[in-house]
Amino acid sequence: MYYLAQVYRNLGENDRAATYCHSTLQRQLQLNQFSPMEWALNAATLSQYYITKGQYMEGRHCLAAATVISGLAGEVPSEAAARESETESERREQLQQKRADIARCWIKYCLNLLQDAKKLLEVLHSCASTHLQKPAVDASRTCESPKTSLDCLFTSSLKVDLLCCGLCAMNMH
């Protein structure tokens, strides 16, 4: 399946490539045949595909899984241990770099989420302005009521993801 994901990616069929990548990650977990950091980076990379598609719940799921699985790689060796052993020094550097890559994916997730939320709020504001400026008869044809529009715009995972992004930001401090 991994090779099919690569083939479809090279053919530009990103939807199919993502499906096969997801299946590969699932199978590796089921068979318990994976390198934790490699698996985590692949899951974090897959999250970026979902985010570009506006599929924030799927993207968040991949990032959460990447964070949990990266923990299976163990603790980052201390600076003292890294000074004493070349192997520990390399391991420390690799773990820090790969965990930073996963953190960067989380940041991209939050940034894209906030940008999309801003766009939705601008649409809602525009809709509300249109509704307030026109007579009620015209408003029913041009725009739903602001409350209905808000409910419609935020029925996706966006509301939940915004809350998650805010909580993640608070936990980083």
Side-chain angles (χ1 to χ4, degrees), residues 5 12 29 42 50 56 66 102 106 114 116 170:
L29 279 180
N42 288 334
Y50 288 125
Y56 288 104
I102 294 169
W106 273 110
L114 291 172
D116 282 355
M170 288 189 306

Side-chain angles (χ1 to χ4, degrees), residues 15-173:
D15 294 342
R16 285 182 118 175
T19 299
Y20 280 104
C21 183
H22 185 262
S23 296
T24 300
L25 290 171
Q26 279 184 317
R27 183 164 295 201
Q28 288 173 339
L29 279 180
Q30 290 168 345
L31 299 174
N32 199 24
Q33 295 178 342
F34 61 93
S35 164
M37 287 310 296
E38 182 181 333
W39 192 98
L41 284 173
N42 288 334
T45 301
L46 181 59
S47 78
Q48 302 305 289
Y49 164 79
Y50 288 125
I51 291 165
T52 62
K53 294 291 192 176
Q55 297 174 330
Y56 288 104
M57 287 183 68
E58 291 84 352
R60 185 182 69 234
H61 178 80
C62 288
L63 286 169
T67 302
V68 169
I69 297 298
S70 71
L72 298 177
E75 293 295 318
V76 174
S78 68
E79 198 172 322
R83 279 192 298 255
E84 292 178 17
S85 164
E86 183 70 27
T87 304
E88 288 297 300
S89 177
E90 288 175 15
R91 184 169 179 271
R92 175 183 169 84
E93 188 176 317
Q94 285 182 346
L95 284 175
Q96 286 178 327
Q97 179 62 48
K98 290 176 180 180
R99 288 185 176 152
D101 290 340
I102 294 169
R104 225 179 333 275
C105 288
W106 273 110
I107 290 167
K108 288 180 183 178
Y109 164 83
C110 288
L111 182 61
N112 279 284
L113 181 65
L114 291 172
Q115 289 171 339
D116 282 355
K118 179 183 176 195
K119 289 176 191 171
L120 288 174
L121 288 173
E122 288 171 350
V123 168
L124 178 63
H125 177 71
S126 173
C127 182
S129 297
T130 302
H131 180 70
L132 294 174
Q133 292 173 357
K134 299 205 177 207
V137 176
D138 290 338
S140 66
R141 279 186 267 161
T142 60
C143 179
E144 300 175 39
S145 74
K147 182 180 180 342
T148 306
S149 296
L150 181 64
D151 292 341
C152 178
L153 288 172
F154 289 100
T155 54
S156 71
S157 64
L158 191 57
K159 190 188 306 184
V160 172
D161 287 323
L162 279 170
L163 178 61
C164 175
C165 190
L167 293 174
C168 289
M170 288 189 306
N171 287 333
M172 291 180 151
H173 296 301

